[in-house]
Short mmCIF file of all heavy atoms in Angstrom, two decimals:
data_model
loop_
_atom_site.label_atom_id
_atom_site.label_comp_id
_atom_site.label_asym_id
_atom_site.label_seq_id
_atom_site.Cartn_x
_atom_site.Cartn_y
_atom_site.Cartn_z
N ARG A 307 7.95 -13.51 29.76
CA ARG A 307 8.91 -12.59 30.38
C ARG A 307 10.16 -12.40 29.53
O ARG A 307 10.96 -11.50 29.80
CB ARG A 307 9.35 -13.12 31.74
CG ARG A 307 8.24 -13.13 32.76
CD ARG A 307 8.73 -13.47 34.14
NE ARG A 307 7.64 -13.43 35.07
CZ ARG A 307 7.16 -12.31 35.61
NH1 ARG A 307 7.72 -11.15 35.32
NH2 ARG A 307 6.13 -12.35 36.42
N THR A 308 10.36 -13.28 28.57
CA THR A 308 11.60 -13.21 27.82
C THR A 308 11.40 -12.82 26.36
O THR A 308 12.27 -12.22 25.76
CB THR A 308 12.34 -14.56 27.87
OG1 THR A 308 11.40 -15.58 27.56
CG2 THR A 308 12.94 -14.81 29.24
N VAL A 309 10.25 -13.15 25.82
CA VAL A 309 10.03 -12.87 24.40
C VAL A 309 8.89 -11.86 24.26
O VAL A 309 7.87 -11.98 24.93
CB VAL A 309 9.65 -14.17 23.65
CG1 VAL A 309 9.47 -13.89 22.17
CG2 VAL A 309 10.68 -15.24 23.91
N VAL A 310 9.12 -10.87 23.43
CA VAL A 310 8.07 -9.88 23.18
C VAL A 310 6.89 -10.59 22.53
O VAL A 310 7.07 -11.32 21.56
CB VAL A 310 8.59 -8.78 22.25
CG1 VAL A 310 7.49 -7.77 21.95
CG2 VAL A 310 9.80 -8.09 22.87
N PRO A 311 5.69 -10.41 23.06
CA PRO A 311 4.56 -11.13 22.47
C PRO A 311 4.29 -10.66 21.06
O PRO A 311 4.44 -9.48 20.75
CB PRO A 311 3.39 -10.79 23.40
CG PRO A 311 3.82 -9.60 24.17
CD PRO A 311 5.31 -9.62 24.22
N PRO A 312 3.93 -11.57 20.20
CA PRO A 312 3.65 -11.20 18.81
C PRO A 312 2.31 -10.50 18.70
O PRO A 312 1.46 -10.63 19.57
CB PRO A 312 3.58 -12.56 18.11
CG PRO A 312 3.08 -13.48 19.18
CD PRO A 312 3.65 -12.98 20.48
N VAL A 313 2.18 -9.71 17.63
CA VAL A 313 0.87 -9.13 17.35
C VAL A 313 0.14 -10.13 16.47
O VAL A 313 0.48 -10.31 15.32
CB VAL A 313 1.02 -7.78 16.64
CG1 VAL A 313 -0.35 -7.21 16.32
CG2 VAL A 313 1.82 -6.81 17.49
N VAL A 314 -0.83 -10.78 17.03
CA VAL A 314 -1.53 -11.83 16.30
C VAL A 314 -2.83 -11.27 15.74
O VAL A 314 -3.60 -10.64 16.47
CB VAL A 314 -1.87 -13.00 17.24
CG1 VAL A 314 -2.55 -14.12 16.47
CG2 VAL A 314 -0.63 -13.49 17.95
N ASP A 315 -3.04 -11.46 14.44
CA ASP A 315 -4.33 -11.07 13.88
C ASP A 315 -5.24 -12.29 13.88
O ASP A 315 -4.98 -13.27 13.19
CB ASP A 315 -4.15 -10.52 12.46
CG ASP A 315 -5.44 -9.88 11.96
OD1 ASP A 315 -6.49 -10.09 12.59
OD2 ASP A 315 -5.38 -9.17 10.93
N VAL A 316 -6.28 -12.20 14.69
CA VAL A 316 -7.16 -13.35 14.82
C VAL A 316 -7.92 -13.60 13.52
O VAL A 316 -8.15 -14.74 13.14
CB VAL A 316 -8.16 -13.10 15.97
CG1 VAL A 316 -9.02 -14.32 16.20
CG2 VAL A 316 -7.41 -12.73 17.24
N ASN A 317 -8.29 -12.52 12.85
CA ASN A 317 -9.03 -12.66 11.60
C ASN A 317 -8.09 -12.51 10.41
O ASN A 317 -8.27 -11.67 9.54
CB ASN A 317 -10.12 -11.59 11.49
CG ASN A 317 -11.14 -11.72 12.58
OD1 ASN A 317 -11.26 -12.77 13.18
ND2 ASN A 317 -11.86 -10.65 12.85
N GLU A 318 -7.07 -13.32 10.42
CA GLU A 318 -6.04 -13.19 9.40
C GLU A 318 -6.60 -13.21 7.99
O GLU A 318 -6.09 -12.56 7.10
CB GLU A 318 -5.06 -14.37 9.54
CG GLU A 318 -3.64 -13.91 9.71
CD GLU A 318 -2.73 -15.08 9.96
OE1 GLU A 318 -3.14 -16.01 10.69
OE2 GLU A 318 -1.63 -15.07 9.42
N ASN A 319 -7.69 -13.94 7.85
CA ASN A 319 -8.21 -14.16 6.51
C ASN A 319 -9.05 -13.02 5.97
O ASN A 319 -9.29 -12.93 4.78
CB ASN A 319 -9.02 -15.46 6.48
CG ASN A 319 -8.15 -16.61 6.94
OD1 ASN A 319 -6.95 -16.62 6.71
ND2 ASN A 319 -8.77 -17.56 7.64
N SER A 320 -9.52 -12.13 6.85
CA SER A 320 -10.27 -11.00 6.32
C SER A 320 -9.62 -9.70 6.79
O SER A 320 -9.85 -9.21 7.87
CB SER A 320 -11.73 -11.05 6.80
OG SER A 320 -11.79 -10.90 8.19
N PRO A 321 -8.71 -9.18 5.94
CA PRO A 321 -7.93 -7.99 6.32
C PRO A 321 -8.80 -6.78 6.63
O PRO A 321 -8.37 -5.88 7.35
CB PRO A 321 -7.05 -7.74 5.09
CG PRO A 321 -7.59 -8.58 4.00
CD PRO A 321 -8.42 -9.66 4.60
N ALA A 322 -9.99 -6.76 6.12
CA ALA A 322 -10.86 -5.62 6.40
C ALA A 322 -11.31 -5.63 7.84
O ALA A 322 -11.71 -4.61 8.39
CB ALA A 322 -12.08 -5.67 5.48
N ASN A 323 -11.24 -6.76 8.46
CA ASN A 323 -11.75 -6.87 9.82
C ASN A 323 -10.66 -7.36 10.75
O ASN A 323 -10.70 -8.45 11.28
CB ASN A 323 -12.96 -7.83 9.82
CG ASN A 323 -13.62 -7.87 11.18
OD1 ASN A 323 -13.44 -6.97 11.98
ND2 ASN A 323 -14.37 -8.94 11.41
N ARG A 324 -9.63 -6.52 10.88
CA ARG A 324 -8.51 -6.89 11.72
C ARG A 324 -8.94 -7.04 13.18
O ARG A 324 -9.70 -6.24 13.70
CB ARG A 324 -7.43 -5.80 11.66
CG ARG A 324 -6.28 -6.11 10.72
CD ARG A 324 -5.51 -4.84 10.45
NE ARG A 324 -4.88 -4.30 11.67
CZ ARG A 324 -3.65 -4.64 12.09
NH1 ARG A 324 -2.95 -5.50 11.38
NH2 ARG A 324 -3.15 -4.12 13.18
#
Side-chain angles (χ1 to χ4, degrees):
Chain A
R307 293 188 179 279
T308 48
V309 183
V310 178
V313 178
V314 182
D315 190 347
V316 184
N317 298 340
E318 236 175 321
N319 304 326
S320 65
N323 186 20
R324 261 164 64 89

